[in-house]
């Protein structure tokens, strides 16, 4: 009791002293809670990004989407509008409007833009896939079409895009047949494996300054480094591309995780980032989200089912971010949508239904994952977390 009273008197005396010299409220530095993600990430030169749904961005009835996209993030990626089917729905007729809107939004808000995506087997325009399947587009012509697409798009946005996902999701998964990892999909099938090196060379010729990335999912951690280890496959592919002088500058790890899986720890994830950066490559997390199964209990609002999912989701966001912070060549950490109100997850995974994958809930209330990301950005620094090392584009 005596100790308590003495301490209390000390506090009163201190308050008295402080009263003598009034402290201006605005001199107090912002608390961590008051800071934005982008302000905290800037301390590490790290770009913190989000995929942007441009329909939501222009929806006047949804002003919070725009406000948070602008205030919390220092980088944006087009969720869909820079994909081939959006940019060139009809052969030879480009629709730049929505992509330009996003670029303008980024300029106004002093944000970087990650370009997504130049070469991918999904969301290709029907004129292209049909032309190939009915034989009106032959192999040589297809190569010319791809070169022309890359050249046109990269030149169009030259100087406005900091990182391009040049080739996306080219590697198969262990659950495909055969289970040994191989190049899969439309481009490998019709052009053979050389299309990857070609794509990087064409992109470099069109923009000497943008960083050129290979981007894929399920490459967060090494497995047994055998034929079915996708991370190892992508690592050896990147090593070969570097060794043969292909102008690849980085590898993007998408980071689509689910709380129902085993997942990884930050040291396992860091091992992979370090392996890539030891090749001279930049790294990035490009599409982070951590979804959960929406059981009957979750949907009924049962906190016993909801809480462990929110916590596991937050913990996985943190694992990827800590690894990124610890790798000085990890230049950006991008989430694939920031609110459950606009997320690809519920539309994609319906049996069983999945959701709750992002940093904010459907009413824009920040979730535990948001606070954990914030805390990681705020409470990290030397000796293990140091400012980013900038990457020079490889010519
Ligand atoms: O635009 C049409 C609209 O006109 C139509 O009414 C509606 C009906 O379904 O579909 C709309 O297109 C949808 C499009 O998103 C835009 O909302 C497509 O059906 C839907 O398939 C498409 O999904 C996108 C998905 O890529 C397709 O591959 C997701 O939004 C997008 O988040 C997702 O992003 C990918 C990355 O690019 C690469 N890595 C994986 C990631 C998640 O799948």
């Amino acid at each position: 009791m005596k100790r308590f009273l003495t301490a209390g008197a000390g506090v009163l005396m201190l308050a008295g002293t402080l009263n003598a010299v009034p402290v201006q409220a605005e001199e107090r530095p912002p608390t961590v809670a008051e800071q934005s993600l982008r302000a905290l990430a800037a301390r590490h030169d790290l770009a913190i990004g989000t995929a942007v749904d441009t329909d939501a961005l222009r929806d006047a009835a949804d002003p919070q989407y725009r406000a948070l996209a602008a205030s919390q993030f220092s980088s944006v990626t087009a969720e869909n509008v820079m994909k081939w089917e959006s940019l060139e729905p009809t052969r030879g007729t480009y629709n730049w409007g929505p992509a330009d809107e996003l670029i303008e939004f980024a300029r106004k808000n002093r944000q970087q833009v990650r370009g997504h995506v130049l070469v991918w087997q999904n969301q290709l325009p029907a004129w292209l896939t049909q032309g190939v399947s009915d034989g009106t587009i032959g192999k040589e012509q297809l190569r010319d079409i791809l070169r022309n697409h890359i050249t046109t798009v990269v030149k169009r946005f030259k100087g406005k895009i900091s990182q391009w996902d040049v080739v996306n999701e080219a590697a198969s998964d262990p659950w495909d047949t055969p289970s040994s990892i191989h190049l899969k999909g439309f481009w490998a099938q019709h052009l053979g494996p050389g299309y990857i090196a070609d794509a990087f060379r064409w992109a470099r010729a069109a923009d000497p300054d943008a960083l050129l990335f290979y981007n894929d999912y399920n490459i967060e951690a090494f497995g047994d480094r055998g034929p079915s280890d996708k991370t190892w496959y992508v690592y050896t592919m990147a090593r070969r591309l570097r060794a043969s002088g292909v102008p690849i500058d980085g590898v993007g790890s998408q980071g689509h995780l689910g709380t129902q899986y085993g997942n990884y720890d930050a040291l396992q994830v860091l091992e992979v980032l370090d392996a890539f950066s030891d090749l001279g490559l930049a790294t990035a997390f490009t599409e982070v989200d951590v979804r959960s199964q929406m059981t009957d209990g979750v949907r009924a609002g049962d906190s016993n089912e909801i809480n462990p999912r929110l916590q596991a989701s937050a913990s996985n966001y943190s694992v990827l971010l800590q690894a990124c912070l610890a790798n000085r060549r990890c230049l950006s950490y991008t989430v694939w949508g920031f609110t459950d109100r606009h997320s690809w997850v519920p539309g994609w995974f319906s049996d069983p239904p999945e959701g709750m994958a992002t940093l904010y809930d459907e009413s824009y209330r920040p979730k535990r994952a948001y606070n954990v990301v914030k805390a990681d950005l705020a409470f990290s620094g030397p000796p293990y977390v140091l400012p980013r090392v900038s990457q020079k584009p490889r010519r």
Side-chain angles (χ1 to χ4, degrees):
M1 186 61 165
K2 188 174 169 205
R3 212 181 318 144
F4 177 77
L5 286 174
T6 317
V11 169
L12 283 177
M13 278 171 62
L14 183 64
T17 321
L18 289 177
N19 273 344
V21 186
V23 174
Q24 300 282 315
E26 46 280 351
E27 278 175 21
R28 174 179 68 73
T31 64
V32 171
E34 288 164 351
Q35 294 268 29
S36 65
L37 298 179
R38 67 185 284 180
L40 293 168
R43 299 168 57 240
H44 309 287
D45 302 331
L46 178 73
I48 182 125
T50 182
V52 171
D53 172 342
T54 47
D55 289 340
L57 197 66
R58 82 173 75 87
D59 182 356
D62 193 357
Q64 268 171 294
Y65 186 87
R66 214 180 159 81
L68 289 172
S71 61
Q72 295 291 325
F73 300 96
S74 52
S75 170
V76 290
T77 306
E79 184 174 1
N80 285 298
V81 298
M82 287 189 193
K83 292 172 181 173
W84 200 330
E85 70 172 7
S86 306
L87 287 182
E88 197 187 6
T90 309
R91 191 167 180 181
T93 308
Y94 281 85
N95 172 32
W96 302 111
D100 283 346
E101 269 175 55
L102 182 62
I103 299 245
E104 176 55 15
F105 177 81
R107 192 195 57 76
K108 270 202 202 126
N109 295 298
R110 303 176 323 282
Q111 293 166 313
Q112 295 181 25
V113 183
R114 287 199 87 256
H116 179 82
V117 51
L118 296 172
V119 192
W120 189 28
Q121 58 271 19
N122 290 358
Q123 292 177 281
L124 291 171
W127 61 262
L128 177 64
T129 49
Q130 270 162 26
V132 170
S133 64
D134 68 20
T136 53
I137 297 177
K139 184 179 162 181
E140 266 319 299
Q141 206 186 347
L142 181 63
R143 208 166 167 270
D144 288 346
I145 289 172
L146 181 61
R147 179 174 46 219
N148 184 42
H149 174 76
I150 292 175
T151 307
T152 307
V153 173
V154 174
K155 281 198 167 154
R156 178 65 168 58
F157 296 118
K158 189 167 173 299
K160 297 173 177 162
I161 301 265
S162 56
Q163 305 176 0
W164 265 114
D165 288 334
V166 177
V167 177
N168 191 46
E169 300 174 13
S172 67
D173 293 289
W175 55 82
D176 291 330
T177 308
S179 65
S180 55
I181 311 299
H182 53 277
L183 294 180
K184 68 172 185 193
F186 182 85
W187 297 105
Q189 196 185 330
H190 297 290
L191 295 182
Y195 84 89
I196 295 183
D198 287 342
F200 280 98
R201 292 198 177 101
W202 294 331
R204 173 58 74 232
D207 185 344
D209 297 323
L211 295 179
L212 305 180
F213 276 69
Y214 176 78
N215 191 48
D216 216 329
Y217 60 87
N218 284 355
I219 57 166
E220 293 83 13
F222 288 123
D224 64 4
R225 302 182 193 221
S228 297
D229 181 345
K230 184 172 178 178
T231 309
W232 183 247
Y233 180 91
V234 170
Y235 169 73
T236 55
M237 179 175 82
R239 191 171 62 188
R240 262 196 324 276
L241 291 169
R242 282 299 275 192
S244 50
V246 173
I248 176 175
D249 302 309
V251 171
S253 180
Q254 294 183 1
H256 292 293
L257 300 178
T259 60
Q260 68 270 39
Y261 303 119
N263 297 135
Y264 315 105
D265 63 61
L267 299 190
Q268 284 175 292
V269 177
L270 178 58
E271 185 186 9
V272 175
L273 300 185
D274 286 347
F276 284 124
S277 58
D278 286 349
L279 298 175
L281 292 163
T283 62
F285 282 102
T286 54
E287 306 185 11
V288 181
D289 55 12
V290 190
R291 60 190 189 271
S292 286
Q293 293 190 344
M294 304 293 280
T295 59
D296 291 345
V298 168
R299 282 182 287 168
D302 179 352
S303 58
N304 289 332
E305 294 210 23
I306 293 172
N307 287 339
R309 287 173 169 78
L310 292 176
Q311 288 167 22
S313 182
S315 157
N316 280 294
Y317 272 96
S318 172
V319 161
L320 301 186
L321 179 55
Q322 288 183 0
C324 180
L325 284 167
N327 176 270
R328 299 189 71 188
R329 287 179 185 266
C330 183
L331 303 179
S332 57
Y333 180 94
T334 294
V335 296
W336 204 244
F338 59 89
T339 165
D340 292 341
R341 195 183 189 94
H342 301 286
S343 161
W344 69 292
V345 168
W348 203 264
F349 302 94
S350 50
D351 186 20
E354 296 184 42
M356 297 202 307
T358 69
L359 299 175
Y360 291 83
D361 73 10
E362 291 184 17
S363 311
Y364 296 106
R365 281 185 298 249
K367 300 195 294 196
R368 172 164 295 213
Y370 172 83
N371 281 343
V372 163
V373 163
K374 221 171 192 181
D376 283 343
L377 292 170
F379 308 140
S380 55
Y384 297 117
V385 175
L386 299 169
R388 310 299 89 191
V389 172
S390 69
Q391 181 78 9
K392 276 211 184 89
R394 192 174 202 197
R395 302 275 154 74

